[in-house]
């Protein structure tokens, strides 16, 4: 009997409810592959769901225990169809089980083959695991929703976080003039990885209308009272893109009062976009900063790190 470990949420609560279960290897259907997971990314949505908040918690509240996690990288261990045997042994990554199934916090996971991509040569497994959800969110915020063009003046709020540091890099690559907010300590960490050296760093505690007078487009990865205060300072911004937060509707209402288009969106799975992001990663156009790695036994610590925004960039759970 082959056994493996997986993290589960048996009931909603703080990070201490997370437990390690011992399970039997599952069967595989045609068009599915069994992946031996190396790393999984810890995202704010994982913590929110564990706490019983948001749409994923509502969907899974009657299906507990539930294994969280949407981002992973790993090696294909087995396939459901002999015609797919060429995939065995390949290093793959992807955003799996989105938006409701999850499952990445597991040493083995069965997914449909179309949920994963081959990790490009030259891209390490941790960066591959960290990229999908945050990268796709950043891509869809900057390109699909904000339609950033060369010469745009773009402000990224929370540019030291998982989504924000990728969004600011994409905006810079697209030829925008990039201004950002983020803590000085995290700025130094990103700078050490050659990220953000050409951005204009604004002091979040001393923002004024003059600081944002020329801003065309905002990518808001923060939410809350700070974001509402920034939006209130804007006069001529073309668009304001915000991630799902408790203040999303308040931002939309304020944007309507100020005749500024505020868009709130939920990331969507898109393999073509993810392939583009992976190619940019391989080419060095973008970089994914890994702020912390934790073992499967320390999954509660990993959640605390993400919930409290303790590190820059991404936090990774090691499952291998």
């Amino acid at each position: 009997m082959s056994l493996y470990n997986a993290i589960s949420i048996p009931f909603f609560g703080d990070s201490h409810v997370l437990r390690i279960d011992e399970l039997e290897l599952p069967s595989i259907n045609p068009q599915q592959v069994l992946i031996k997971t190396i790393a999984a990314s810890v995202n704010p949505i994982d913590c929110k769901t564990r706490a019983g908040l948001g749409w994923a918690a509502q969907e899974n509240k009657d299906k507990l225990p539930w294994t969280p996690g949407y981002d992973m990288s790993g090696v294909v261990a087995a396939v459901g169809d002999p015609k797919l045997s060429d995939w065995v042994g390949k290093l793959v990554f992807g955003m799996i089980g989105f938006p409701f199934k999850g499952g990445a916090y597991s040493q083995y996971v069965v997914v449909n083959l179309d949920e994963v991509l081959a990790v490009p040569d030259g891209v390490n497994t941790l960066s591959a695991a960290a990229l999908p959800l945050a990268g796709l969110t950043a891509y869809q915020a900057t390109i699909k929703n904000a339609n950033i063009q060369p010469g745009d003046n773009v402000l990224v709020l929370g540019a030291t976080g998982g989504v924000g540091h990728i969004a600011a890099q994409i905006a810079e690559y697209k030829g925008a003039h990039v201004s950002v907010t983020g803590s000085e300590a995290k700025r130094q960490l990103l700078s050490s990885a050659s990220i953000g050296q050409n951005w204009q760093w604004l002091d979040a505690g001393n923002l004024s209308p003059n600081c944002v007078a020329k801003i065309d487009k905002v990518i808001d990865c923060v939410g809350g009272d700070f974001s509402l205060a920034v939006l209130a300072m804007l006069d001529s911004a073309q668009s304001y893109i915000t991630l799902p937060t408790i203040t999303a509707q308040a931002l939309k209402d304020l944007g309507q009062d100020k005749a500024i288009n505020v868009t709130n969106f939920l990331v969507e799975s898109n393999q073509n976009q993810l392939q583009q992001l992976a190619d940019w990663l391989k080419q060095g156009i973008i970089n994914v900063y890994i702020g912390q790695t934790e073992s499967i036994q320390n999954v509660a610590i990993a959640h605390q790190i993400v919930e409290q925004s303790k590190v820059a960039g991404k936090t990774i759970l090691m499952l291998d």
Side-chain angles (χ1 to χ4, degrees):
M1 180 184 299
S2 297
L3 300 175
Y4 69 100
N5 290 326
I7 302 297
S8 74
I9 299 170
F11 49 87
F12 296 134
D14 66 19
S15 61
H16 296 96
V17 307
L18 294 164
R19 73 184 186 193
I20 300 178
D21 294 329
E22 192 172 66
L23 305 173
E24 295 182 23
L25 284 179
S27 59
I28 317 170
N29 296 326
Q31 302 306 313
Q32 290 184 323
V33 296
L34 175 68
I35 298 173
K36 186 178 189 299
T37 313
I38 296 172
S41 176
V42 181
N43 291 295
I45 183 60
D46 305 341
C47 304
K48 188 176 181 180
T49 305
R50 185 217 67 231
L53 304 173
W55 43 265
Q58 285 299 306
E59 176 68 22
N60 288 292
K61 65 182 180 180
D62 297 322
K63 304 174 185 177
L64 302 179
W66 179 72
T67 296
Y70 298 111
D71 294 343
M72 52 67 64
S73 64
V75 176
V76 176
V79 295
D81 185 339
K83 295 178 182 178
L84 302 175
S85 60
D86 287 349
W87 281 90
V88 175
K90 283 190 177 182
L91 185 63
V92 296
F93 76 113
M95 185 168 78
I96 66 168
F98 190 83
F100 299 126
K101 184 179 178 182
Y105 289 19
S106 178
Q107 291 179 326
Y108 283 91
V109 62
V110 173
V111 302
N112 293 331
L113 184 58
D114 61 7
E115 290 185 272
V116 296
L117 297 170
V119 175
D121 293 339
V123 173
N124 67 62
T125 54
L126 298 192
S127 295
L131 181 64
L133 193 149
L136 284 170
T137 303
Y139 185 103
Q140 290 165 22
T142 54
I143 296 178
K144 179 182 177 181
N145 287 286
N147 190 27
I148 290 174
Q149 299 295 315
D152 282 345
N153 291 303
V154 175
L155 173 61
V156 179
L157 305 180
T160 56
V163 173
H165 84 293
I166 301 174
Q169 290 178 80
I170 294 173
E172 182 180 13
Y173 173 62
K174 288 296 180 179
H177 305 294
V178 180
S179 299
V180 300
T181 66
S183 76
E184 178 61 25
K186 293 177 183 177
R187 170 186 178 178
Q188 294 299 328
L189 291 170
L190 293 181
S191 181
S192 69
S194 299
I195 299 172
Q197 295 173 326
N198 297 320
W199 305 341
Q200 180 181 4
W201 289 82
L202 303 179
D203 183 353
N206 291 292
L207 283 183
S208 68
N210 287 337
C211 296
V212 297
K214 295 182 179 180
I215 295 300
D216 300 310
K217 298 171 181 178
V218 178
I219 308 298
D220 175 15
C221 306
V222 178
D225 291 340
F226 173 68
S227 297
L228 287 165
V230 171
L231 179 55
M233 295 179 193
L234 299 174
D235 284 326
S236 58
Q238 301 167 18
S239 59
Y240 188 109
I241 312 301
T242 183
L243 307 187
T245 67
I246 59 174
T247 51
Q249 187 57 52
L251 287 164
K252 293 185 75 171
D253 293 342
L254 180 56
Q256 187 172 14
D257 292 342
K258 295 178 66 65
I260 295 174
N261 182 34
V262 174
T263 300
N264 168 232
F265 79 101
L266 177 66
V267 64
E268 298 177 346
S269 180
N270 187 303
Q271 294 296 75
N272 290 331
Q273 293 173 4
L274 186 56
Q275 184 65 64
Q276 178 67 84
L277 287 160
D279 291 342
W280 285 344
L281 193 59
K282 177 181 179 179
Q283 296 163 24
I285 291 169
I286 62 171
N287 187 7
V288 180
Y289 184 81
I290 309 297
Q292 186 79 10
T293 60
E294 292 291 346
S295 68
I296 187 173
Q297 290 79 12
N298 289 336
V299 62
I301 294 174
H303 269 228
Q304 292 163 20
I305 288 169
V306 171
E307 285 182 297
Q308 298 169 25
S309 299
K310 286 185 175 180
V311 302
K314 297 289 295 176
T315 296
I316 297 297
L317 191 64
M318 302 301 299
L319 295 158
D320 189 20

